[in-house]
Amino acid sequence: MNKKVVIVGGGAGGLATAKALAGTDAQITIIDKNNHHLFQPLLFQVAVAVLSPGDIAAPIRSIVGKQPNIRVVLGEVTRFDVNARQVILKDGSSYDYDYLVVATGIKTCYYGNDHWEKFAPGLKTVVDALEAREKILLAFEKAEIAESQHEIQRLMTFVVVGGGPTGVETAGALRELLNKSIEKEFKRVDTSRARVILIEALDRILCGLGPELSARATADLEKMGVEVWRNTRITCIDEKGVWMEDKCIETSNIIWAAGTMAPPEISSIEAEKPRSGRIVVKSDCSIENHPEVFVIGDVAWFMSEGNPLPQLAPVAVQQAKYVAGIIEREPAAGNRPPFRYKDKGNVAVIGRAKAVMQIGKFKIYGFIAWLAWILVHIMVMVDFRNRFKVLFEWRWHYLGNRHGIRLITGIRPGCRQGEASGGNQPPSNAA
Ligand SMILES: Cc1cc2nc3c(=O)[nH]c(=O)nc-3n(C[C@H](O)[C@H](O)[C@H](O)COP(=O)(O)OP(=O)(O)OC[C@H]3O[C@@H](n4cnc5c(N)ncnc54)[C@H](O)[C@@H]3O)c2cc1C
């Protein structure tokens, strides 16, 4: 009999698993709360009006739906019952499996200060990016007609919290938006007085890369006009702005890129979980006592050489291919070769012709690293059409300094992704 494989999540890991199992004897059900696969590494370019959501997202059905052994289900998993070998969806339906692959990714974490989210949304979903874009563009419009200098300054202050790749890339891109496009089109907005502040609690940004590259990225950002505040701990975020004890940066333009944690449904899986709620997996990516349950990608806590693997797309994709191999060949639990991550490097873009890149001990920066960033991102995009769309938009953006997608559409803050689709699942189990 064909084995039933349920994959939860159609992101980098889930989709790669499904693709690797296409054409095998597995009967695959891929469940996602959104109908689309999202290429998260370019989300910040949607937030700063370089790209449209359709350039970096594609319907999961259009990517794998034509494969005869893959069925796509739009639905939100709310619970895993690993003893009964079932996943349960928000509408009460359930799906049984012989093998389960959990690839839900992670969510933004405010370290116990969830009330900050209202003022400082994260950057994880299409809706997050569109809300950020709306907020940024509206700030310029409001500044153009504001009466007082104080109000103009408040509106023209942008704070990005978190000096990891997302924070660095977003801060650099925001500064380019201000320097290159806005300056020419607004009459009263003086972009030379606008501030972009990147806040990092540690003593350096991009701490996943070597210290030389952190220093280089800091210097490049500062040259572009980004203020990089290191060793800075935020104590509160409210309607007035960002607080560090009794000092406040007055602004309502805040983007949170400072922390992540496992989504709540993951708590229904009994397994060892560190503070972030991610699941500790064994060397074959399965969980303790359940060789049929695999957890991969960002939500997995896979120890390698004393550290958990980083939350990067190549980790998710390599784990996906490894797990698909195990499911296809079905070696006995004790005979599974361990998963080994091949580090193909890490790159962060700072601005036009500026990036930093590390492959093992090899470090590069500047124009060559930027070209590598472009190449890597185009190559790893899952949807073929999106590669062309992104290249086309980048031609305008990088050669013509254009931020062409500056649409204010009146998107409703609070209409979060997943909520729209959460109740629309088909009736009960047919997997
Ligand atoms: C802004 C940003 C920039 C990034 N930049 C880079 C970069 O430059 N390079 C790099 O390598 N990595 C980057 N990453 C990280 C990379 O995107 C992730 O490591 C990768 O996407 C992880 O894949 P995943 O399959 O674990 O999760 P994801 O790709 O996040 O996919 C999770 C999927 O699960 C679905 N899902 C979640 N919960 C449920 C549920 N309960 N029920 C049903 N479906 C559910 C989601 O809708 C989503 O489709 C970035 C991430 C972000 C957010």
Side-chain angles (χ1 to χ4, degrees):
M1 213 174 64
N2 290 349
K3 48 205 163 208
K4 287 189 276 186
V5 179
V6 170
I7 301 170
V8 181
L15 211 53
T17 313
K19 286 172 94 173
L21 285 170
T24 67
D25 66 345
Q27 240 182 51
I28 304 153
T29 303
I30 180 161
I31 306 172
D32 200 296
K33 61 183 174 181
N34 295 302
N35 81 328
H36 54 268
H37 167 80
L38 175 65
F39 186 63
Q40 293 171 357
L42 293 180
L43 255 187
F44 75 98
Q45 293 210 330
V46 174
V48 298
V50 172
L51 297 175
S52 294
D55 299 335
I56 60 162
I60 296 170
R61 265 179 216 292
S62 78
I63 302 169
V64 289
K66 288 193 196 119
Q67 292 288 341
N69 65 333
I70 302 180
R71 177 174 173 224
V72 180
V73 171
L74 174 65
E76 182 172 351
V77 172
T78 49
R79 195 160 63 81
F80 297 87
D81 187 339
V82 291
N83 294 320
R85 296 194 177 192
Q86 274 194 338
V87 297
I88 297 99
L89 273 61
K90 195 173 182 179
D91 68 352
S93 62
S94 59
Y95 290 80
D96 329 307
Y97 58 81
D98 298 314
Y99 289 103
L100 171 67
V101 180
V102 180
T104 58
I106 40 172
K107 67 190 268 279
T108 306
C109 169
Y110 292 85
Y111 306 106
N113 298 294
D114 288 354
H115 53 290
W116 292 0
E117 183 180 6
K118 193 164 122 195
F119 310 106
L123 206 50
K124 273 297 287 169
T125 65
V126 167
V127 174
D128 289 340
L130 289 176
E131 281 184 10
R133 184 180 81 181
E134 194 93 349
K135 224 170 166 184
I136 294 163
L137 298 179
L138 275 173
F140 301 138
E141 297 295 340
K142 288 179 187 167
E144 182 76 352
I145 53 171
E147 296 294 339
S148 73
Q149 273 310 315
H150 178 259
E151 180 61 0
I152 293 174
Q153 193 57 57
R154 195 184 73 80
L155 287 162
M156 286 293 93
T157 300
F158 300 85
V159 175
V160 180
V161 185
T166 303
V168 166
E169 294 182 339
T170 307
L174 257 173
R175 195 68 246 186
E176 285 200 325
L177 171 66
L178 283 160
N179 293 358
K180 312 267 185 217
S181 289
I182 298 303
E183 157 183 64
K184 296 175 196 135
E185 294 176 12
F186 286 78
K187 302 294 173 269
R188 291 184 66 218
V189 173
D190 175 4
T191 53
S192 66
R193 298 188 58 195
R195 298 176 74 192
V196 177
I197 303 168
L198 176 64
I199 297 183
E200 168 56 49
L202 300 177
D203 61 356
R204 66 184 178 102
I205 58 171
L206 296 177
C207 62
L209 303 179
E212 318 85 297
L213 292 182
S214 299
R216 176 73 199 202
T218 305
D220 279 346
L221 283 169
E222 287 176 345
K223 214 187 276 175
M224 289 162 67
V226 175
E227 297 172 41
V228 183
W229 293 19
R230 285 159 286 165
N231 295 309
T232 304
R233 225 160 252 291
I234 287 171
T235 50
C236 181
I237 299 179
D238 63 15
E239 56 284 327
K240 190 161 182 203
V242 179
W243 292 83
M244 285 124 303
E245 302 299 347
D246 53 359
K247 179 176 165 188
C248 180
I249 310 170
E250 287 191 42
T251 180
S252 53
N253 308 312
I254 310 161
I255 293 178
W256 183 263
T260 56
M261 62 191 274
E265 62 276 9
I266 290 300
S267 64
S268 60
I269 300 177
E270 272 179 37
E272 190 190 340
K273 298 178 193 111
R275 257 193 332 183
S276 61
R278 290 159 68 196
I279 293 183
V280 174
V281 292
K282 301 198 306 179
S283 65
D284 62 354
C285 298
S286 72
I287 62 170
E288 197 65 46
N289 302 323
H290 289 279
E292 75 287 0
V293 177
F294 299 97
V295 182
I296 62 169
D298 285 0
V299 75
W301 183 278
F302 187 104
M303 289 303 283
S304 171
E305 295 169 11
N307 289 307
L309 287 180
Q311 292 164 308
L312 292 172
V315 175
V317 171
Q318 288 180 31
Q319 287 179 328
K321 289 179 181 164
Y322 165 86
V323 162
I326 299 284
I327 293 174
E328 190 183 352
R329 292 190 294 277
E330 296 193 300
N335 289 338
R336 294 175 179 177
F339 167 73
R340 292 205 197 288
Y341 173 56
K342 289 187 197 72
D343 183 0
K344 292 186 179 158
N346 203 346
V347 57
V349 70
I350 291 147
R352 188 155 58 124
K354 292 186 190 74
V356 287
M357 185 175 191
Q358 183 165 336
I359 308 170
K361 287 190 176 131
F362 183 64
K363 297 174 184 109
I364 49 172
Y365 53 79
F367 183 68
I368 302 290
W370 178 71
L371 279 184
W373 176 82
I374 289 197
L375 206 69
V376 167
H377 282 73
I378 292 297
M379 276 168 45
V380 299
M381 287 190 92
V382 170
D383 191 71
F384 206 65
R385 278 164 312 163
N386 283 357
R387 296 182 188 179
F388 288 102
K389 289 200 246 171
V390 168
L391 268 179
F392 185 75
E393 290 298 341
W394 277 352
R395 193 183 64 137
W396 289 113
H397 174 60
Y398 288 120
L399 296 181
N401 284 332
R402 282 181 48 150
H403 290 77
I405 324 291
R406 280 183 289 133
L407 308 180
I408 296 174
T409 56
I411 185 174
R412 271 181 305 129
C415 176
R416 317 298 305 174
Q417 242 179 338
E419 287 179 8
S421 59
N424 293 336
Q425 293 81 21
S428 146
N429 189 1

